[in-house]
Amino acid sequence: MKKLEKITPWKQDFAKWYVDVITQAELMSYGPVKGTMYLKPNGYAIWSSIQDVLNFIFQELSIKNVYFPSLIPQSFIEKEKQHVKGFAPELLTITHVGEKKLPENIYLRPTSEVLFADFFKKEIAHKNKLPILLNQWCQVTRWEKTTNPFLRTTEFLWQEGHTVHEDSSKAKKFAKIMIENYKFIVEKFLAIPVIVGKKTQKERFAGAKTTYTIEAMMKDGRALQAGTSHYLGQNFSKNFDITFKNKDNQLEYVYQTSWGVSTRLIGALIMTHGDDRGIIIPPAIAEYKVDILAFFVNKHPNLKKAILKLSDELDDFHITNRVDLSDNQVGFKIANSEVLGTPVRIEIGPRDLEAKQVVVVRRDTLEKKIVPTSQIVNHLEQLFQEIQANLFEQAKHRLTENIVYVDNYENFKVAIAQSRFVVVAFSETQKQEIKIQEETGATSRCIVSNKDFIIPLPAEAKSLFSGKKTNKFVVFAKSY
Amino acid sequence: MKKLEKITPWKQDFAKWYVDVITQAELMSYGPVKGTMYLKPNGYAIWSSIQDVLNFIFQELSIKNVYFPSLIPQSFIEKEKQHVKGFAPELLTITHVGEKKLPENIYLRPTSEVLFADFFKKEIAHKNKLPILLNQWCQVTRWEKTTNPFLRTTEFLWQEGHTVHEDSSKAKKFAKIMIENYKFIVEKFLAIPVIVGKKTQKERFAGAKTTYTIEAMMKDGRALQAGTSHYLGQNFSKNFDITFKNKDNQLEYVYQTSWGVSTRLIGALIMTHGDDRGIIIPPAIAEYKVDILAFFVNKHPNLKKAILKLSDELDDFHITNRVDLSDNQVGFKIANSEVLGTPVRIEIGPRDLEAKQVVVVRRDTLEKKIVPTSQIVNHLEQLFQEIQANLFEQAKHRLTENIVYVDNYENFKVAIAQSRFVVVAFSETQKQEIKIQEETGATSRCIVSNKDFIIPLPAEAKSLFSGKKTNKFVVFAKSY
């Protein structure tokens, strides 16, 4: 039988808590090559839900799924100078097949811009029809010095979208549409509030003109980049000679975007909603919305029948559920449901059966309610909405409470030391960002608009070091 | 604008026809590394449909999806001797990260038995709960000397299922269940009839005790292995030390299976149903069941409105459809719908609009029918069933007509030269199979049961070379 071990309290040791939760909730275990994961059924189910939601959005936007090779010839990746500089140290390199040396080294894709560039070039020459809107679900490989489950792994799953447009404004607009979609999905389905902004030049994707990002705040106050969307301009089209015939029948370089989210989101989910009992999965993406736990079932044969009937009824209303009829102890069954993060559990014992009622317990607040069996479906549907909203509100509250506007470097350092997000007027150079990173451990997360920001910001203010007036505000934080 | 080029007639040059169809139907184009593919939206859509159907079956069978690494340390793959022997010459080998040499070579997975073995060992030690039924959707990599789109590519998409059982009979039974499921799906959804059987020792999967296979006949008479299911016995559990505690509390090696289908099925689909106009996609898996082609739409503004209304109506009945309102010529629109293999096209011109009717054309027989607009949904739903059945029956007819029972080597050679499947009594050694392959180009496809076979077979007969009486019958054919 599976054993449940104690989870380290998150306030005591956040990193240890994170790994304990992942292990106990059976989300992943370690693969044999450094930094690789066996993504287990419970972890994969979360990713599957994210895929379903995104595929729905892609379909609405007429984005088509494709699958391109994971293998990139060395000569290809070297065509875009900034791009290769960004990825070269992380590239896994194939030099042989069996014992035989290959004539040219092959890299495992760390991302697929160069492959899509090659594809688009041929495709447009054949059809000359723009835009082209493609997405790929795949694994990518990046050799990282230090790894952390879901957050930074040698291999991970993601989707990478790649689009081609006939002018820069359409491409820019599309890059923005995608970051807004990411915000929508992450907030609505994963119940994780995010800040939307642009990356500074230092943090920009290798090869992009603009990188839009959504940044979330984990329970320990650190930032997690949860999704990015890049306006690539003509960087790749010029290097790969991707042209189309414009209205005047002239050849012109195309404008591109790329955008992605990854299994990092599972890490974000754990570190946003998890607690000392395990993970909490928002109902909107839970594989099982309800665990039905039967107590003393072996002594009461009618109980099993009643529970299976209840399970069928929930099925009929598309309320996914899982029944625990095992002869494990009551305490174990409850702890197991809690560690797995099922949004609601229903407890039924012999006395409940007699009273035609069940006990409903929400995972987020642990609140218990006795509900007549006849009202269970309505009650649950209402409860899922409450849980989804509560998870989001809790996280939003934490974010709002822990983000501060500062106007000098002393306060900046204090706030970072308190594990907060800091917003500051900032029109400085890359050098100053590096100085901040060295002195405080914080990196710039994104440039934000002072309009409608999560906390009030002035119209303009003096830049952190230079003192020059600016309306450019940047969020800094320690990050994953 | 996209141009349609002439497709080589299939009876003239089957190989060229195959590539022409793939290109014109926009299923794939070639990637930069030898034998890799850009799987384009039309090709990926077919794979997506296959995934949906299989995921449904997996759910029914309580098989859970996971994702495991694509990276295998050299030391791992060498643990199972037969297995590594089978795959070693095809292994893409990672020796470096960037410029740095790795301490141990890493292989790209050609299949994942050794990774699942490693996972199962740890998983069972933790839980000791059997069976474990897992599936993985992923890409795998095998360096092949000669490649052919979908059929034999350096990298391809597949699903690989891996299960662990507590005794051999349960594992064997599961391997059989999966091959029967593959038969069901390939016949029911892809409309491709198959022969089910066991591989001979020579053709068995490297590391398996028994390999079950489904074999399909392509239009040119060649066989295509469309799916396999392996009973692995204790081969991997002994080499990887995967044990469980049995009822007597004794440690015992587990029994395993693995099974898979791949994007080869797209090749099978093309070569089973395609014709000189393009591919034909069975309605059961078509992304778009209907193309609605508007003729002279620019001159008749009401036409556009009527067509969009029809499209909406079909949507309401979940009849997926695509509208062509372009000002392309009539002939081009028709040819384009045909090459893409959409099961049904609806043609509407100004006169049809006036007469409150549409012209419905089936892709399989090219039969045209005038249908009152009011009856279109019922008509289509009936028609999809007819098309699905007809595609299967046509292929089944071809298979039955082109499979022959022979009782001597002369007739065997004649039949193979005529591009037929040959069934023969065969209780010979591996040596004799190699002789047949060298002399005729045919390989053994599978050992079949003489009961309920697609053509009548005797209860027993003299084996092809030895003349010894046997009830073992083997299908031979040239194959992809």
Side-chain angles (χ1 to χ4, degrees):
Chain A
M1 208 196 73
K2 176 183 163 185
K3 277 174 232 119
L4 290 177
E5 276 151 47
K6 203 140 177 62
I7 293 171
T8 306
W10 69 269
K11 285 184 179 165
Q12 181 184 312
D13 183 341
F14 197 73
K16 192 156 187 323
W17 165 82
Y18 179 65
V19 173
D20 283 355
V21 166
I22 286 171
T23 310
Q24 293 294 317
E26 302 193 56
L27 298 172
M28 60 72 75
S29 61
Y30 295 97
V33 169
K34 184 184 87 86
T36 61
M37 294 195 296
Y38 293 127
L39 188 54
K40 295 170 78 167
N42 293 350
Y44 194 85
I46 297 172
W47 184 237
S48 256
S49 293
I50 294 170
Q51 287 190 301
D52 288 346
V53 175
L54 275 169
N55 272 332
F56 180 79
I57 302 261
F58 295 160
Q59 198 163 11
E60 292 294 301
L61 294 173
S62 299
I63 296 162
K64 293 281 186 177
N65 283 329
V66 296
Y67 185 79
F68 285 3
S70 64
L71 306 173
I72 306 179
Q74 182 164 4
S75 55
F76 255 59
I77 211 155
E78 287 173 354
K79 285 194 189 176
E80 217 289 342
K81 294 285 172 280
Q82 279 307 106
H83 190 63
V84 68
K85 217 175 120 189
F87 284 106
E90 301 176 3
L91 294 174
L92 284 91
T93 312
I94 299 162
T95 56
H96 288 73
V97 168
E99 302 286 300
K100 274 177 75 175
K101 179 120 180 62
L102 287 167
E104 181 183 6
N105 287 348
I106 298 170
Y107 294 129
L108 288 191
R109 68 177 159 221
T111 178
S112 304
E113 273 70 13
V114 296
L115 293 167
F116 276 84
D118 176 55
F119 176 80
F120 287 139
K121 179 181 164 61
K122 296 173 196 158
E123 189 70 4
I124 297 167
H126 170 58
K127 277 195 183 176
N128 199 53
K129 206 185 151 199
L130 298 182
I132 307 177
L133 314 176
L134 299 180
N135 174 65
Q136 168 168 266
W137 293 101
C138 66
Q139 44 71 258
V140 289
T141 322
R142 300 173 186 178
W143 194 266
E144 304 272 5
K145 276 192 197 109
T146 53
T147 60
N148 199 351
F150 297 117
L151 304 177
R152 203 169 289 280
T153 52
T154 302
E155 180 177 5
F156 57 91
L157 296 179
W158 79 348
Q159 60 69 217
E160 47 176 321
H162 297 266
T163 68
V164 180
H165 306 265
E166 60 192 357
D167 63 44
S168 65
S169 72
K170 281 179 185 162
K172 277 180 192 161
K173 196 177 156 193
F174 202 88
K176 280 185 204 163
I177 287 173
M178 288 320 298
I179 205 70
E180 287 301 331
N181 271 302
Y182 286 155
K183 175 183 159 73
F184 172 77
I185 284 164
V186 170
E187 294 197 333
K188 189 84 179 173
F189 291 87
L190 305 186
I192 302 174
V194 294
I195 293 168
V196 185
K198 267 188 224 182
K199 287 287 181 191
T200 61
Q201 199 195 334
K202 174 172 175 290
E203 298 292 327
R204 203 178 285 160
F205 175 72
K209 291 268 185 199
T210 313
T211 289
Y212 299 98
T213 180
I214 50 172
E215 301 282 329
M217 179 188 279
M218 302 298 97
K219 267 188 133 145
D220 63 347
R222 285 209 196 188
L224 184 141
Q225 176 183 305
T228 49
S229 179
H230 315 294
Y231 167 62
L232 303 173
Q234 296 177 312
N235 277 349
F236 287 87
S237 65
K238 283 184 177 166
N239 286 304
F240 280 81
D241 192 29
I242 316 171
T243 57
F244 73 110
K245 269 188 196 144
N246 65 19
K247 280 169 195 161
D248 307 325
N249 222 25
Q250 301 282 310
L251 281 181
E252 194 182 330
Y253 292 114
V254 300
Y255 296 81
Q256 292 180 267
T257 80
S258 67
W259 25 276
V261 299
S262 75
T263 36
R264 282 204 117 190
L265 286 175
I266 301 174
L269 194 77
I270 299 163
M271 294 196 292
T272 301
H273 304 306
D275 63 18
D276 292 345
R277 293 164 191 257
I279 56 168
I280 302 182
I281 304 182
I285 58 149
E287 183 186 14
Y288 299 104
K289 287 195 174 72
V290 175
D291 280 333
I292 305 177
L293 313 184
F295 298 156
F296 314 112
V297 70
N298 288 336
K299 294 177 190 155
H300 299 268
N302 282 340
L303 200 51
K304 187 178 166 183
K305 231 174 94 183
I307 281 164
L308 294 177
K309 196 182 147 217
L310 174 62
S311 172
D312 280 350
E313 192 190 345
L314 299 190
D315 282 343
D316 290 345
F317 287 88
H318 302 290
I319 299 173
T320 50
N321 63 91
R322 178 169 45 188
V323 172
D324 185 349
L325 290 169
S326 68
D327 48 9
N328 289 329
Q329 292 191 328
V330 171
F332 175 87
K333 287 189 182 191
I334 291 174
N336 190 43
S337 173
E338 284 178 350
V339 78
L340 296 177
T342 312
V344 173
R345 70 172 184 263
I346 295 178
E347 303 172 355
I348 313 182
R351 272 185 301 174
D352 301 307
L353 184 64
E354 217 161 282
K356 294 185 180 168
Q357 67 184 31
V358 296
V359 179
V360 175
V361 188
R362 6 189 327 183
R363 173 65 181 85
D364 58 340
T365 61
L366 302 174
E367 202 183 329
K368 279 190 186 203
K369 215 164 211 161
I370 291 170
V371 178
T373 313
S374 61
Q375 289 166 31
I376 187 68
V377 169
N378 282 343
H379 182 82
L380 286 175
E381 278 170 352
Q382 178 67 31
L383 195 56
F384 296 143
Q385 287 182 30
E386 283 172 30
I387 294 170
Q388 188 77 26
N390 179 53
L391 288 173
F392 182 75
E393 284 312 320
Q394 277 191 348
K396 181 91 184 240
H397 181 74
R398 188 169 56 236
L399 174 60
T400 316
E401 290 294 298
N402 289 292
I403 187 163
V404 288
Y405 169 68
V406 300
D407 61 4
N408 65 69
Y409 196 40
E410 281 317 302
N411 289 349
F412 184 107
K413 284 189 274 191
V414 170
I416 292 295
Q418 290 167 338
S419 299
R420 295 184 155 188
F421 280 24
V422 175
V423 200
V424 63
F426 195 82
S427 63
E428 314 282 342
T429 62
Q430 204 158 319
K431 244 185 178 167
Q432 307 294 349
E433 270 186 67
I434 293 168
K435 169 188 155 80
I436 289 174
Q437 186 170 3
E438 283 168 0
E439 291 177 1
T440 70
T443 50
S444 83
R445 306 315 306 157
C446 53
I447 306 163
V448 294
S449 163
N450 54 4
K451 287 178 197 110
D452 307 318
F453 190 65
I454 192 167
I455 55 169
L457 295 179
E460 56 172 21
K462 286 182 184 166
S463 183
L464 186 63
F465 298 120
S466 71
K468 274 186 206 151
K469 284 261 182 185
T470 180
N471 61 359
K472 196 176 151 196
F473 292 86
V474 174
V475 176
F476 283 83
K478 288 186 186 164
S479 78
Y480 281 98
Chain B
M1 207 197 72
K2 175 184 162 185
K3 278 174 231 119
L4 290 178
E5 276 151 48
K6 201 138 180 59
I7 293 171
T8 306
W10 70 270
K11 285 186 179 165
Q12 182 185 311
D13 184 342
F14 197 75
K16 192 156 185 325
W17 166 82
Y18 179 66
V19 173
D20 283 354
V21 166
I22 286 171
T23 309
Q24 293 293 316
E26 302 193 54
L27 299 172
M28 59 73 73
S29 60
Y30 295 97
V33 169
K34 184 183 88 85
T36 61
M37 294 196 297
Y38 293 128
L39 189 53
K40 296 170 76 167
N42 293 349
Y44 195 84
I46 298 173
W47 185 237
S48 257
S49 293
I50 294 170
Q51 286 190 301
D52 288 347
V53 174
L54 275 168
N55 272 332
F56 180 80
I57 301 262
F58 295 160
Q59 198 163 9
E60 292 294 301
L61 294 172
S62 299
I63 296 162
K64 293 281 188 180
N65 284 329
V66 296
Y67 184 79
F68 285 3
S70 64
L71 306 173
I72 306 179
Q74 182 164 5
S75 55
F76 257 57
I77 210 155
E78 287 172 355
K79 284 194 190 176
E80 217 289 343
K81 294 286 172 278
Q82 279 308 106
H83 190 62
V84 69
K85 216 176 119 191
F87 285 105
E90 301 175 4
L91 294 174
L92 284 92
T93 312
I94 298 161
T95 56
H96 288 72
V97 168
E99 301 286 299
K100 275 178 73 176
K101 178 118 181 63
L102 288 166
E104 181 182 7
N105 287 348
I106 297 170
Y107 294 128
L108 288 191
R109 68 178 158 220
T111 179
S112 304
E113 273 71 12
V114 296
L115 293 166
F116 277 83
D118 176 54
F119 176 81
F120 287 138
K121 178 180 166 60
K122 296 173 196 157
E123 189 70 5
I124 297 167
H126 171 58
K127 277 194 183 178
N128 198 53
K129 206 184 152 203
L130 298 183
I132 307 177
L133 314 176
L134 300 180
N135 175 64
Q136 168 168 264
W137 293 100
C138 66
Q139 43 72 258
V140 289
T141 322
R142 299 173 186 180
W143 195 265
E144 304 272 3
K145 275 192 196 110
T146 53
T147 60
N148 199 351
F150 297 116
L151 304 177
R152 201 169 289 280
T153 52
T154 302
E155 179 177 7
F156 56 91
L157 297 178
W158 79 348
Q159 62 68 216
E160 47 177 321
H162 297 267
T163 68
V164 180
H165 306 264
E166 61 193 356
D167 63 44
S168 66
S169 72
K170 281 179 184 160
K172 278 180 193 163
K173 195 177 156 194
F174 202 87
K176 280 186 203 166
I177 286 173
M178 288 320 298
I179 205 70
E180 287 301 331
N181 271 303
Y182 286 155
K183 175 184 159 74
F184 173 77
I185 284 164
V186 170
E187 295 198 331
K188 189 85 180 172
F189 291 87
L190 305 186
I192 302 173
V194 294
I195 293 168
V196 184
K198 269 189 222 180
K199 287 285 181 192
T200 61
Q201 198 194 335
K202 174 172 175 291
E203 299 292 328
R204 203 178 284 159
F205 175 73
K209 291 266 185 200
T210 313
T211 289
Y212 299 98
T213 180
I214 50 172
E215 301 281 330
M217 179 187 279
M218 302 297 98
K219 266 188 133 144
D220 64 346
R222 286 209 197 188
L224 185 142
Q225 176 184 305
T228 50
S229 179
H230 315 295
Y231 167 63
L232 303 173
Q234 296 176 313
N235 278 349
F236 287 88
S237 65
K238 284 185 176 163
N239 286 304
F240 280 81
D241 192 29
I242 316 170
T243 56
F244 73 110
K245 269 188 197 146
N246 64 19
K247 281 169 194 162
D248 308 324
N249 223 23
Q250 301 283 308
L251 282 182
E252 193 181 331
Y253 292 114
V254 299
Y255 297 80
Q256 293 180 267
T257 81
S258 67
W259 26 275
V261 298
S262 75
T263 37
R264 284 205 114 190
L265 287 175
I266 301 174
L269 194 77
I270 299 162
M271 293 197 291
T272 300
H273 304 308
D275 62 19
D276 292 345
R277 291 165 191 257
I279 56 168
I280 303 182
I281 304 182
I285 57 149
E287 183 185 14
Y288 299 105
K289 288 196 176 72
V290 176
D291 280 333
I292 306 177
L293 312 184
F295 297 154
F296 313 111
V297 70
N298 288 336
K299 295 176 189 154
H300 298 267
N302 282 340
L303 200 52
K304 187 178 166 183
K305 232 175 94 184
I307 281 164
L308 294 178
K309 196 181 148 219
L310 174 62
S311 172
D312 281 349
E313 192 189 346
L314 298 191
D315 283 344
D316 290 345
F317 287 89
H318 303 290
I319 298 173
T320 50
N321 63 90
R322 176 167 49 187
V323 173
D324 185 350
L325 289 169
S326 68
D327 49 10
N328 290 328
Q329 292 191 327
V330 171
F332 176 86
K333 287 189 181 190
I334 292 175
N336 189 45
S337 173
E338 285 179 349
V339 78
L340 297 176
T342 312
V344 173
R345 70 172 184 263
I346 295 178
E347 303 172 356
I348 314 183
R351 272 183 302 175
D352 301 307
L353 185 63
E354 217 161 282
K356 295 184 179 169
Q357 67 186 30
V358 296
V359 179
V360 175
V361 188
R362 314 165 49 148
R363 173 65 182 85
D364 59 340
T365 61
L366 303 174
E367 202 183 329
K368 279 189 185 203
K369 215 163 210 163
I370 292 169
V371 178
T373 314
S374 61
Q375 289 167 33
I376 187 68
V377 169
N378 283 342
H379 182 80
L380 286 175
E381 279 170 352
Q382 177 67 30
L383 195 56
F384 296 144
Q385 287 183 28
E386 283 172 30
I387 294 169
Q388 189 78 26
N390 178 53
L391 288 173
F392 182 75
E393 284 312 320
Q394 277 191 349
K396 181 92 183 240
H397 180 74
R398 189 169 55 238
L399 173 60
T400 317
E401 290 293 299
N402 288 292
I403 186 163
V404 287
Y405 169 68
V406 299
D407 60 4
N408 66 68
Y409 196 39
E410 282 317 300
N411 289 349
F412 184 107
K413 284 190 274 193
V414 170
I416 292 295
Q418 290 168 337
S419 299
R420 295 183 155 190
F421 279 25
V422 175
V423 200
V424 64
F426 194 82
S427 63
E428 314 283 341
T429 62
Q430 204 158 320
K431 243 186 181 168
Q432 307 294 350
E433 270 186 68
I434 294 167
K435 169 189 154 81
I436 289 174
Q437 187 169 3
E438 282 168 359
E439 291 177 359
T440 71
T443 50
S444 84
R445 306 316 307 159
C446 54
I447 305 163
V448 294
S449 163
N450 54 4
K451 286 178 197 112
D452 306 319
F453 190 65
I454 192 166
I455 55 169
L457 294 179
E460 57 173 20
K462 286 180 184 168
S463 184
L464 187 63
F465 298 120
S466 71
K468 274 186 206 150
K469 283 261 183 184
T470 180
N471 62 358
K472 196 175 151 197
F473 293 87
V474 174
V475 176
F476 283 84
K478 287 186 186 163
S479 78
Y480 281 99

